Amino acid sequence: MKKVVFFLSVLFLSFGCEKAPISKAIKVANANELFEAIANSKPGDEIVLANGVWKDVEIKFSAKGTEDKPIVLKAETEGGVFIEGVSSLELSGEYLEVEGLFFRNGHSPKSNVIAFRTSEKEVANHCSVSNCVILDFNNLNRDDDNLWVQFYGKNNTLSHCYLAGKTNGGPTVRVDLKGNQSIRNYHQIINNHFGPRPRKGGARGETIQLGSSFTSMSPSNTTIANNLFEACNGEVEIISSKTNFNIIKNNVFYKSEGSVVTRHGNYCLIDGNYFIGDGENENYGGIRIVNTGHWITNNLFYNLKGKNFRSPLAIMNGIPKSPLNRYNQVTDVVVAYNTYVNSYAPWQFGVGTNIDQADVLPKSEIRSARPLRTEVVNNVIYNEVGDPNPIIEHDKADGVTFASNIIDNNDVSFAKRNGLDSKTLSLTSIGEDLSVPLLGFEDVEIYSGFDFETITKDILGNPRSKSNQIGAFLNSETIDLDLLDKTKYGANWYSNVVEVKEPTTHSVTNEVELVSKLKAAENNDIIQLKDGVFTVSESLIINKPIVIQSKGKTEIVYNGPANTPAFALHPYGKLKLKNIKLKGTSTQFAFASLKENMFNHFGLEVSDSEISHFNYALKVYKQSFAEEITFTNTSISNCENGLELSEETNDRGDYNTEYLTVNNCSFNAVKSNVIDYYRGGYDESTIGGNLLVLNSTFTNCGANEKSRMLLNHRGIVNVTISNNTFKDNNVDFVAILWGAKNNNESENSITNSGQIKTEQNLKLKLMY
């Protein structure tokens, strides 16, 4: 009888095992094998992509795993699988994991590189992408917007990834809430390294966007935590929270030109973050507040000099009865237990007020609604160099309560305000190049407002229940932070730390050598030209950082076809030209970007040189962008056109360079477009362009200029024209300055050259 029972038991177990899915590892070597493996995958399976380049592959990972047995799509070796060419990844289903992929040398054919859905109705839930890298995976044209990671569904995670180098329009990461299947999503964006995102030169350059204007009343419940944001400079908003109930916690924002912004939506918690600048750059920001119910607690603002929209704490004015896509009034906000160290004018209220521009803006754009029921309490400010204006009111802060705040302003007087008292404090080191006040304010009575008992910990996670005090940090015997240890963030197999290589100098004696050495040179190498004349008949390709120089007795004569450049500035091409005489035959360009496919930035620095007899000294085409273009100690003469950067006429806030600098230069007989640098559209998401014209002379220029203006910089926000000489230029205006923005002129000599005029308010096309 026992034998029968045993036999039946074995038979039953065998039958059960036959029905249970068997987990297995499936190695695939090409797209067909991959798609077959996905189609046949079962819970617990691991699909392993063979090491190597996977080019022009559109992966649709649609399957259903379980919580205990997810289905994994992974690289054979982390970082050994390169997704290149025209490629993308989409996920839908449940409990899927993607690991170890490297997206590079290409772009996506879709509106995203990685999407947590495969169709409008087929979304991902409980899925993750981890330990992956997306690097410079840009669309070919800057105006061709897309996303690198797009969230849909619920409970999805992006973790331990490195993303850097996005230059085209669109946020790097966006959480979308269209459809009930994506609301209250509880996504997590954690432990990632968001590496440098270069300045975009226009709007639509956020690093993370949570929702959109038109889903801004929806709850998202997304968490962004424990990430490093390094040099995220795309635009004024690093993180743009546009939905409700998001958490932004324990992140490090390091030398990033922008802010965390509660752009739309309500009830955001911003807690325990570190905002670190260099004490100089006026674009490194902190937190900017719009809308209702946010709590800003336990944050450190360190060495920030950002102003206005980018100030350490910017609380905006709103638009009365604002539409969803504009600025709602700030109400019921708490700013408590934060520490500010060496941060210029850390508290700014009524930011964005534009009542004085009512004559050029419609009533629906006037930001006149001041913050209400806002509490700024229990904060600590320390300034090694005293700040006469720690509080700036662009409009009255009469709806703000100040209490239990202290400042050590190093004996520099400031406008007194109830709730901000002076103290003498000292700094304590808490890590490399990081010191904060921890002592000297134990006696300050803590303000306790409604629900303040929910602030249970300080920035380091220490409990406030034992010995609470104001500021982000509780007093502790030893604090030793290493916030910039990059091994704590991003993919464990990738580092963006590059060893600095000493440049190699290549001596060049003739035109053939110049072309060959230029092609063979590595980044930042030096091409040293011998004295003499180099006659060049084809454009010299600049597609890497390179220096071309001589001792000052070298001339390059370019006799190539009309409307082609002597130096063709390609993506990644950053040219430094020193001590060169550059001459054309009046029909070509000295320098020009590509007409299309400028998928990455270029740069140009010309010094101690002479440029003559060209159609254009510089021609920058639409959708090209340089972070810096500089001419120093250089003459530009006998050219039909000078420096032309005016093709971004879509009036969406775009422009062609962040910094255009002309210093100690001479312009003689430049007939048109002497300097033409354009930015159109009523947009505040960017720095807005910088034009510096200093210590230079302009003679006999502008004779054929249709605008009758010598320096045309319409829409550029920051303009300085100083210590220049303008003589015998056949124009009506040297320049027209934008008085409401940072446009200034001084110490200029003008003879027979029109005038410099100021227009206080410039009418621009509304973008919204």
Side-chain angles (χ1 to χ4, degrees):
M1 185 67 180
K2 290 181 180 179
K3 291 182 179 180
V4 174
V5 171
F6 176 75
F7 173 76
L8 289 173
S9 298
V10 171
L11 184 65
F12 176 78
L13 289 171
S14 299
F15 180 75
C17 289
E18 286 178 2
K19 295 192 70 175
I22 300 174
S23 303
K24 57 185 177 180
I26 309 154
K27 186 174 179 180
V28 295
N30 56 56
N32 288 334
E33 291 180 3
L34 171 60
F35 300 153
E36 182 179 355
I38 292 171
N40 296 322
S41 62
K42 297 179 176 61
D45 284 354
E46 282 190 353
I47 302 170
V48 181
L49 278 67
N51 286 345
V53 174
W54 291 66
K55 191 170 184 180
D56 300 335
V57 56
E58 298 179 38
I59 302 171
K60 284 195 173 184
F61 186 16
S62 183
K64 285 193 175 182
T66 66
E67 184 174 5
D68 295 333
K69 292 186 174 182
I71 300 173
V72 179
L73 177 66
K74 62 186 291 188
E76 179 182 1
T77 303
E78 294 171 340
V81 171
F82 305 101
I83 310 297
E84 299 187 356
V86 184
S87 299
S88 62
L89 168 65
E90 298 174 315
L91 302 86
S92 67
E94 296 180 356
Y95 296 104
L96 309 178
E97 298 178 0
V98 176
E99 301 173 0
L101 306 183
F102 191 171
F103 291 81
R104 68 176 194 182
N105 298 335
H107 66 278
S108 174
K110 304 179 183 298
S111 60
N112 37 56
V113 177
I114 298 175
F116 284 88
R117 74 173 184 181
T118 56
S119 71
E120 190 171 334
K121 293 185 178 180
E122 296 173 302
V123 300
N125 296 302
H126 302 284
C127 296
S128 68
V129 174
S130 65
N131 214 20
C132 292
V133 169
I134 307 178
L135 181 65
D136 293 0
F137 209 72
N138 291 305
N139 286 347
L140 296 180
N141 293 305
R142 185 171 63 144
D143 285 355
D144 187 4
D145 293 7
N146 77 340
L147 303 153
W148 278 7
V149 180
Q150 189 166 17
F151 280 87
Y152 293 95
K154 297 188 178 186
N155 297 292
N156 298 314
T157 301
L158 178 72
S159 70
H160 296 95
C161 291
Y162 178 78
L163 299 89
K166 193 172 193 296
T167 57
N168 66 307
T172 306
V173 176
R174 187 168 76 198
V175 173
D176 271 294
L177 281 78
K178 294 176 181 177
N180 286 330
Q181 68 268 37
S182 298
I183 294 174
R184 297 187 185 89
N185 52 67
Y186 295 95
H187 297 316
Q188 295 194 72
I189 302 170
I190 55 175
N191 300 109
N192 301 289
H193 183 178
F194 292 95
R197 175 159 189 177
R199 303 174 181 113
K200 181 186 166 293
R204 314 179 314 283
E206 304 95 331
T207 297
I208 299 178
Q209 187 183 81
L210 303 178
S212 66
S213 303
F214 299 104
T215 59
S216 60
M217 294 297 103
S218 301
S220 182
N221 302 93
T222 294
T223 296
I224 302 172
N226 303 312
N227 302 285
L228 172 61
F229 295 83
E230 178 188 13
C232 292
N233 300 337
E235 61 147 84
V236 72
E237 299 181 11
I238 303 168
I239 297 176
S240 184
S241 180
K242 296 187 174 185
T243 45
N244 295 335
F245 304 112
N246 297 312
I247 297 172
I248 301 169
K249 187 175 180 69
N250 299 343
N251 303 284
V252 177
F253 299 87
Y254 180 65
K255 293 184 180 180
S256 291
E257 292 184 344
S259 301
V260 171
V261 182
T262 61
R263 181 63 180 85
H264 303 301
N266 307 303
Y267 308 109
C268 185
L269 173 64
I270 305 176
D271 178 81
N273 301 283
Y274 299 83
F275 298 86
I276 303 174
D278 64 357
E280 297 179 4
N281 189 320
E282 295 184 355
N283 298 309
Y284 296 153
I287 297 172
R288 177 158 55 95
I289 300 301
V290 192
N291 280 62
T292 292
H294 311 296
W295 283 55
I296 317 303
T297 56
N298 294 318
N299 301 285
L300 173 64
F301 304 84
Y302 197 83
N303 279 354
L304 300 180
K305 295 296 189 234
K307 297 180 178 180
N308 210 305
F309 273 52
R310 300 168 194 260
S311 55
L313 175 70
I315 296 186
M316 291 196 67
N317 266 18
I319 298 170
K321 298 181 180 179
S322 174
L324 286 177
N325 66 335
R326 302 309 294 128
Y327 290 88
N328 279 300
Q329 186 175 23
V330 173
T331 62
D332 305 297
V333 165
V334 171
V335 180
Y337 293 111
N338 301 285
T339 295
Y340 303 79
V341 176
N342 297 331
S343 293
Y344 172 84
W347 299 342
Q348 300 197 22
F349 301 92
V351 170
T353 183
N354 55 2
I355 299 170
D356 60 350
Q357 297 179 51
D359 57 338
V360 295
L361 291 173
K363 186 177 180 180
S364 60
E365 279 294 316
I366 301 302
R367 295 189 286 259
S368 59
R370 299 195 291 267
L372 293 176
R373 300 185 303 278
T374 291
E375 297 178 334
V376 178
V377 298
N378 300 340
N379 301 288
V380 174
I381 301 173
Y382 179 91
N383 291 317
E384 287 182 299
V385 177
D387 180 358
N389 297 298
I391 299 176
I392 293 180
E393 294 181 65
H394 302 273
D395 197 353
K396 291 180 181 179
D398 49 6
V400 180
T401 296
F402 297 90
S404 299
N405 303 293
I406 64 167
I407 182 172
D408 184 339
N409 210 34
N410 269 289
D411 299 323
V412 173
S413 61
F414 60 94
K416 300 299 181 183
R417 177 182 289 273
N418 290 336
L420 178 61
D421 296 322
S422 293
K423 281 271 189 180
T424 299
L425 307 175
S426 60
L427 295 180
T428 300
S429 175
I430 61 170
E432 187 175 356
D433 298 324
L434 207 62
S435 297
V436 301
L438 297 176
L439 298 167
F441 40 88
E442 301 87 345
D443 59 332
V444 176
E445 183 178 355
I446 295 170
Y447 178 92
S448 183
F450 181 77
D451 261 358
F452 272 43
E453 67 275 8
T454 62
I455 309 173
T456 59
K457 297 179 180 180
D458 76 347
I459 190 171
L460 300 175
N462 298 315
R464 290 190 175 275
S465 57
K466 294 182 179 179
S467 56
N468 199 12
Q469 65 180 27
I470 66 173
F473 295 85
L474 295 177
N475 186 20
S476 180
E477 290 184 3
T478 58
I479 302 173
D480 188 13
L481 299 177
D482 192 359
L483 299 175
L484 300 180
D485 175 6
K486 295 181 182 180
T487 63
K488 297 190 295 189
Y489 317 95
N492 61 21
W493 51 266
Y494 183 87
S495 173
N496 73 340
V497 179
V498 178
E499 184 178 348
V500 177
K501 168 187 165 293
E502 285 295 319
T504 299
T505 298
H506 306 268
S507 296
V508 171
T509 61
N510 57 56
E511 296 85 348
V512 175
E513 280 188 358
L514 174 56
V515 173
S516 64
K517 294 287 189 182
L518 187 57
K519 186 178 295 185
E522 297 183 359
N523 288 356
N524 301 308
D525 279 358
I526 299 168
I527 306 292
Q528 183 74 37
L529 304 184
K530 75 161 191 176
D531 294 348
V533 177
F534 288 69
T535 301
V536 178
S537 57
E538 294 184 359
S539 297
L540 298 170
I541 305 300
I542 307 299
N543 56 10
K544 70 196 84 171
I546 200 80
V547 178
I548 299 177
Q549 65 183 29
S550 79
K551 293 180 180 179
K553 297 181 180 179
T554 297
E555 183 174 33
I556 297 176
V557 176
Y558 181 61
N559 62 6
N563 300 318
T564 64
F567 291 95
L569 301 163
H570 285 221
Y572 301 105
K574 295 184 179 180
L575 172 63
K576 292 184 179 180
L577 192 75
K578 300 180 180 180
N579 290 314
I580 300 293
K581 294 180 181 179
L582 182 58
K583 186 176 181 180
T585 61
S586 299
T587 62
Q588 314 99 331
F589 311 149
F591 310 94
S593 64
L594 296 180
K595 288 185 178 179
E596 55 186 14
N597 296 340
M598 285 296 292
F599 57 86
N600 215 297
H601 295 350
F602 73 96
L604 178 63
E605 181 180 331
V606 181
S607 61
D608 303 304
S609 297
E610 299 177 14
I611 301 166
S612 66
H613 297 91
F614 285 96
N615 185 1
Y616 284 87
L618 171 65
K619 175 71 171 176
V620 180
Y621 287 100
K622 182 176 175 59
Q623 302 196 50
S624 300
F625 187 76
E627 294 204 61
E628 296 186 16
I629 295 175
T630 301
F631 289 83
T632 306
N633 302 325
T634 293
S635 68
I636 299 175
S637 63
N638 296 300
C639 292
E640 181 63 33
N641 297 277
L643 313 180
E644 200 270 327
L645 307 92
S646 62
E647 291 199 1
E648 296 295 0
T649 56
N650 58 19
D651 287 347
R652 299 174 69 194
D654 295 336
Y655 46 102
N656 292 121
T657 186
E658 199 64 70
Y659 291 91
L660 175 59
T661 301
V662 175
N663 188 12
N664 200 32
C665 293
S666 66
F667 291 73
N668 185 34
V670 178
K671 298 175 185 176
S672 305
N673 294 303
V674 180
I675 295 178
D676 198 353
Y677 178 22
Y678 180 83
R679 169 186 177 271
Y682 181 68
D683 170 66
E684 295 162 315
S685 297
T686 56
I687 297 171
N690 295 266
L691 173 64
L692 281 79
V693 182
L694 311 170
N695 310 309
S696 298
T697 62
F698 297 79
T699 309
N700 296 319
C701 294
N704 297 337
E705 174 54 42
K706 294 179 181 178
S707 72
R708 307 293 299 154
M709 193 181 311
L710 202 65
L711 312 180
N712 194 342
H713 46 80
R714 180 177 173 83
I716 302 301
V717 170
N718 305 292
V719 176
T720 298
I721 302 170
S722 181
N723 201 35
N724 303 287
T725 298
F726 302 96
K727 184 178 179 181
D728 297 332
N729 300 289
N730 187 19
V731 294
D732 295 331
F733 299 100
V734 168
I736 297 179
L737 304 179
W738 189 0
K741 300 296 183 181
N742 187 29
N743 283 206
N744 302 288
E745 67 91 11
S746 63
E747 306 296 327
N748 296 294
S749 173
I750 303 174
T751 304
N752 194 28
S753 299
Q755 61 175 314
I756 297 179
K757 177 184 175 183
T758 297
E759 287 187 7
Q760 185 62 26
N761 293 317
L762 188 65
K763 190 172 181 61
L764 295 174
K765 180 180 177 181
L766 292 177
M767 296 170 53
Y768 306 99

